[in-house]
Amino acid sequence: MRVSRLMLVTLRDDPAEAEIPSHKLLLRAGYIRRLSPGIYAYLPLLWRVLRKISAIVREELDATGALETLLPQLQPAELWQRSGRWAGYTAGEGIMFHLQDRQGRELGLGPTHEEVITALAADLLRSYRQLPVNLYQIQTKFRDEIRPRFGLMRGREFIMKDGYSFHADEASLRETYAAMDRAYRRIFSRCGLRAVAVEADSGAIGGSASQEFMVTADAGEDLILASPDGAYAANQERAVSLAPEAIPLPGGARADGQGEPLATPGQTSIEELCAGHGFAPSQTVKVLLLLARFEAGLVQPVLVSLRGDQQLNAVKLANALTGRLGSEHGALLAVEPLTRETLRDWAVPLALDAISFGSIGPHLPDGVLENQGLVVDTSDPRAGFAGAASLPGDSKPSLRRTFLRLADATAAELPAFVCGANAPDTHLVGAAWGTLAPRPETLDLRAAQPGDRCQHDPSQQLEASRGIEVGHIFQLGRKYSSALGATFTNEAGADEALWMGCYGIGVSRLAQAAVEQHHDANGICWPSAIAPFEAIVVIANAADDGQRTLAEQLYADLQAAGIDALLDDRGERAGVKFKDADLLGIPWRVVVGRGAADGQVELVQRSGGLKQELAAGAVVDALLGRLEVERAGLAI
Ligand code: ATP
Ligand code: MG
C-alpha cells in the first residue's frame, strides 16, 4: 500500500477528546475517527491491525477444535425474556440498544449472544453423542455504555470474539474451559501483550467460575489485587482478603451492650467522629442505607453495616441482593442511596424525619418505613424510574417496608463498637450485637484493599496494579440451558439440561490495549505480529528518480518475500515522513536516501534502537531473519 493513497491525516497535537496515550495516538496517527460518543470508524490502517488480531484468534481457536460461526445481531426480545435478562438489559442502567420493528415486535441489538446460541443449541443438540461442541464468532457488538470513553476501550459499538461451548457434564465443561484458558494465553502473547489471568466476578452473564485476562497498564479501568508470590490475583470487584485486625474498644461493651450515648454535634462522618473523640475507625460500625430496585417492581430498602474503616464492594452487594431476592423479583435493576432526596425524587409523599441521617445505627427500626403511603406513582414524571414505562402492568414499583439487613463480617465480628444512636447528634459507645440489635446476616461485602493480608498466606500483602480487561472466560453451568429448554438425551436415555461455557475477547479493545502497552514519546510501537505493516519504505526525496526507482524495487521485493510493506511515496519533506513513520509505529523503516546512488539504504527499528546502513539487496534477508522471531510474539 502507498501512503499517498491512504487518506492519511496525522495530527501534531493531542486531540481534546482523548485522555489516555493510546486513544491520543490512534487518533493522531490516523487509525480511528469518532463518529459520535463511543462510535468509531476503523480506518484502513486499524482495520489491518484488527484483521491480524482476528487471524491469530482464529488460528488458536481453530487449533482447539472450536468452529467459527456468525449469529444474528438483531435478537428478539422474547428470547431475552425467557432467560430473564430483558428487563435488566433494557430498563434502568441496562445497556442493550432496543427497538420495535414495523410489526411492533421488540428487538435488541446483540450486546452478547448467550440467548441466541442457546436457542440454537436447544434446536440442534439432541444427544450426548453430539457433545461437546464449541462455537465462536467475531462480530460487532452493541452496548449503550453509561460512560463510553477512552476510544476503543469502552465503545458503544465494538468488535468482540465471543464463543460458547456445550457439554454433557461439568467435567467436560471444565476441560474446554481449561483449553480456552491455554488458547487465550497463547493469543495474547502472540499479539505481543503482557496479560495476567485474574479471578473475576461473573456479573450479569451469570454462572460459577470465571477468569479475566488483564493487560497491565496504568490507564486500565480495572484494579487488580495480587499476592507477591503469584498464587492469587483477582479483580477488586471479586477479591477477598483478611481485613486489618480491629483495635479493641477500651472499656468494651457498656450499658449491657446498649451503648452509652455520646454527644457528637455536627459529626456526621466516621472521620469527624473519630477526630472528635479519639476513636479508631475500626472501633466503629457505619451504616449505609440503600434502595435496591428489582425488575418485578420490588423496591427493597437495604441496611448494610460495615466496620468504619472498610469500604463497601458494590459488586459483592449486588450479587448478595440478586442471590436473596432475584429468583422471586427478577433482575436487580439498580442500587441507589436512600436519602431524603431519593425519596422526594420518587414523589413519595413523606418526610423521613424519623431517620437521623448522619447518626444512623444498625438498630434503625423498620418503623421508619411504615405508615407513609410508600407507593410510587409512576404516572408522575418526577418518579425518576427510567424503566417504569417498559415494565409489565402488574409490576408497578412499590417500596417494601422492612429493611433487608446485611453486615460485613468485619462489622458483625466486633464484640463492642461505636455507632450512630438514631437520634440527632448522638452516637453510642460500647454497643454490642445481640443487645443493641440482632446480629444481622453476615457476608463478605467489603472491598479488599492493597496492603490487606492474603487469605492463602497472611504473611503476604495484596499489591495493586491496573489492568485493561481484554478477555473473560466463564463456566456458565446450566443457567441459560435450563431457562431456554436446551436439553439433550444422556447415555442413560434421560433428558437433562446442557452444561455451558462462554468465552469473550474484546478484539478492538485489545488493539488499543496493545498501543497502551507499546508506545513512546514519538508514537506507537506496534508488536510486529499485529502491526498494520511490518516495514515502511520511505523515499527521502521523492523528486529524486534514483531514490524513487530503488524504493519501488525494494517495496516490490519485500512484498514478494511475504513482508507486509508500506511505501511512503509522498512529496513531503523527509523529516515529516520520518515523524509520521514513528507516529504510525511500523516496526521497521527502510530509508532510501542519498546512499541510493550507491545502492545503500538505512534500516531502522522503531523500538529497540537498531540502525544499520546496508546494501538494498540485503534488506529482505535481514528483515526476514528478524521477523521470524517477532511474528511469534512474546514467549509464554
Ligand atoms: P467491562 O467489565 O469492561 O464492561 P464486560 O465484563 O462487560 O466488560 P464481557 O461481557 O466479558 O465484558 O465481554 C467480553 C470482552 O469484550 C471483554 O473482556 C472486553 O474485552 C470486551 N468489551 C466489553 N465491553 C466493551 C466495550 N464497551 N468496548 C470495547 N470492548 C468491550
Ligand atoms: Mg467481563
Side-chain angles (χ1 to χ4, degrees):
M1 197 181 282
R2 288 161 192 273
V3 177
S4 61
R5 300 270 73 81
L6 207 54
M7 307 191 297
L8 183 68
V9 177
T10 54
L11 310 174
R12 200 160 335 137
D13 298 319
D14 286 336
E17 70 181 84
E19 291 163 61
I20 60 173
S22 54
H23 187 196
K24 291 178 187 166
L25 288 171
L26 287 176
L27 283 166
R28 282 185 52 206
Y31 282 85
I32 55 173
R33 272 287 185 278
R34 189 175 79 156
L35 195 61
S36 72
I39 304 182
Y40 285 83
Y42 314 130
L43 296 177
L45 284 174
L46 187 81
W47 185 239
R48 290 182 66 95
V49 174
L50 295 173
R51 277 173 42 203
K52 288 198 175 181
I53 296 169
S54 303
I56 292 172
V57 169
R58 288 193 170 96
E59 272 177 40
E60 293 298 340
L61 293 182
D62 292 352
T64 69
L67 299 172
E68 186 166 357
T69 184
L70 190 59
L71 303 171
Q73 283 156 308
L74 276 173
Q75 309 186 2
E78 185 258 342
L79 275 182
W80 287 73
Q81 279 151 356
R82 279 169 60 199
S83 72
R85 292 208 294 181
W86 178 255
Y89 267 77
T90 56
E93 293 177 355
I95 45 107
M96 182 149 63
F97 288 104
H98 52 109
L99 59 137
Q100 272 189 5
D101 68 13
R102 62 179 73 243
Q103 269 95 30
R105 284 187 293 247
E106 287 224 80
L107 297 162
L109 270 176
T112 180
H113 277 70
E114 284 78 15
E115 281 75 3
V116 171
I117 195 90
T118 310
L120 282 171
D123 188 12
L124 299 171
L125 296 174
R126 303 280 163 83
S127 153
Y128 71 94
R129 288 194 196 87
Q130 296 170 281
L131 299 171
V133 171
N134 192 2
L135 295 161
Y136 74 92
Q137 59 174 348
I138 298 177
Q139 180 197 57
T140 294
K141 292 279 186 277
F142 299 89
R143 292 185 182 183
D144 196 359
E145 296 279 359
I146 295 165
R147 271 180 297 283
R149 56 181 190 159
F150 300 155
L152 307 182
M153 292 285 189
R154 187 164 297 286
R156 295 197 298 156
E157 175 175 332
F158 59 97
I159 300 178
M160 195 202 284
K161 184 289 293 185
D162 50 328
Y164 307 87
S165 65
F166 295 93
H167 308 266
D169 55 42
E170 197 173 5
S172 165
L173 164 60
R174 291 223 180 95
E175 233 170 73
T176 298
Y177 182 80
M180 288 298 109
D181 178 13
R182 290 190 296 273
Y184 272 41
R185 288 170 200 263
R186 281 194 300 272
I187 288 167
F188 300 131
S189 84
R190 282 186 60 188
C191 291
L193 293 172
R194 293 181 299 277
V196 292
V198 306
E199 279 183 25
D201 180 69
S202 295
I205 304 275
S208 52
S210 97
Q211 182 174 283
E212 285 167 347
F213 292 85
M214 297 282 187
V215 167
T216 46
D218 291 342
E221 287 189 281
D222 288 276
L223 186 69
I224 303 169
L225 294 175
S227 61
D229 66 356
Y232 180 77
N235 191 319
Q236 193 193 27
E237 290 178 354
R238 159 89 184 187
V240 293
S241 67
L242 300 173
E245 297 283 354
I247 299 171
L249 183 67
R254 301 190 204 159
D256 295 331
Q258 296 291 343
E260 275 168 10
L262 175 72
T264 53
Q267 294 159 0
T268 56
S269 69
I270 296 289
E271 294 72 41
E272 289 161 343
L273 175 69
C274 290
H277 303 275
F279 299 126
S282 69
Q283 295 168 332
T284 68
V285 167
K286 64 180 170 190
V287 168
L288 305 179
L289 293 186
L290 303 158
L291 286 180
R293 297 195 265 132
F294 285 84
E295 176 187 351
L298 173 67
V299 180
Q300 172 68 59
V302 185
L303 187 155
V304 181
S305 298
L306 282 172
R307 205 172 79 187
D309 61 334
Q310 300 300 310
Q311 302 303 322
L312 178 69
N313 177 324
V315 173
K316 290 181 183 176
L317 177 67
N319 289 342
L321 293 172
T322 303
R324 272 152 197 76
L325 297 163
S327 56
E328 201 182 328
H329 300 281
L332 175 65
L333 300 183
V335 179
E336 62 197 54
L338 185 159
T339 61
R340 285 183 214 289
E341 290 73 33
T342 353
L343 291 165
R344 200 179 46 232
D345 287 350
W346 275 63
V348 176
L350 82 163
L352 277 185
D353 289 333
I355 300 183
S356 175
F357 289 95
S359 50
I360 305 169
H363 54 310
L364 184 70
D366 288 338
V368 298
L369 296 168
E370 279 164 11
N371 304 323
Q372 306 190 19
L374 298 178
V375 173
V376 179
D377 178 3
T378 50
S379 65
D380 184 329
R382 291 188 305 136
F385 191 45
S390 63
L391 289 172
D394 59 354
S395 52
K396 190 167 174 160
S398 67
L399 196 66
R400 185 175 270 180
R401 297 171 191 210
T402 50
F403 285 109
L404 174 66
R405 292 165 193 269
L406 303 172
D408 179 66
T410 51
E413 284 159 7
L414 287 177
F417 50 85
V418 179
C419 65
N422 295 324
D425 296 331
T426 316
H427 281 74
L428 297 172
V429 182
W433 297 112
T435 323
L436 180 75
R439 190 185 300 269
E441 193 177 347
T442 301
L443 301 163
D444 175 24
L445 292 174
R446 56 180 278 275
Q449 301 287 352
D452 284 353
R453 292 164 300 151
C454 299
Q455 286 198 341
H456 74 285
D457 174 1
S459 74
Q460 303 209 33
Q461 293 185 335
L462 288 177
E463 293 173 348
S465 58
R466 300 213 71 87
I468 301 163
E469 180 197 325
V470 288
H472 199 163
I473 58 177
F474 301 76
Q475 290 180 32
L476 288 177
R478 306 206 264 194
K479 172 176 162 172
Y480 294 92
S481 52
S482 306
L484 293 161
T487 59
F488 71 103
T489 310
N490 65 20
E491 260 180 284
D495 273 359
E496 58 174 302
L498 288 156
W499 291 84
M500 246 180 107
C502 85
Y503 319 97
I505 291 181
V507 173
S508 46
R509 180 185 284 185
L510 189 160
Q512 189 173 326
V515 177
E516 200 57 45
Q517 244 180 19
H518 299 282
H519 69 269
D520 63 17
N522 298 322
I524 302 172
C525 308
W526 288 110
S528 292
I530 62 170
F533 292 94
E534 293 167 314
I536 178 166
V537 179
V538 179
I539 313 175
N541 177 5
D544 180 316
D545 283 345
Q547 290 185 19
R548 184 170 273 286
T549 311
L550 185 61
E552 290 282 353
Q553 185 59 49
L554 253 179
Y555 174 54
D557 291 348
L558 289 169
Q559 287 179 302
I563 296 171
D564 281 338
L566 182 64
L567 177 67
D568 195 346
D569 55 344
R570 293 175 300 170
E572 302 282 349
R573 283 183 294 113
V576 170
K577 291 195 269 196
F578 295 160
K579 267 207 153 58
D580 277 351
D582 277 351
L583 185 59
L584 291 181
I586 312 298
W588 292 95
R589 181 165 95 208
V590 185
V591 182
V592 183
R594 288 208 188 91
D598 308 319
Q600 290 288 307
V601 298
E602 192 185 32
L603 183 62
V604 185
Q605 191 181 25
R606 174 64 184 86
S607 58
L610 187 100
K611 214 172 195 179
Q612 188 187 356
E613 284 275 337
L614 76 179
V619 169
V620 168
D621 281 346
L623 274 183
L624 280 179
R626 291 289 189 145
L627 286 171
E628 199 181 345
V629 183
E630 290 175 13
R631 283 169 177 165
L634 294 177
I636 356 176

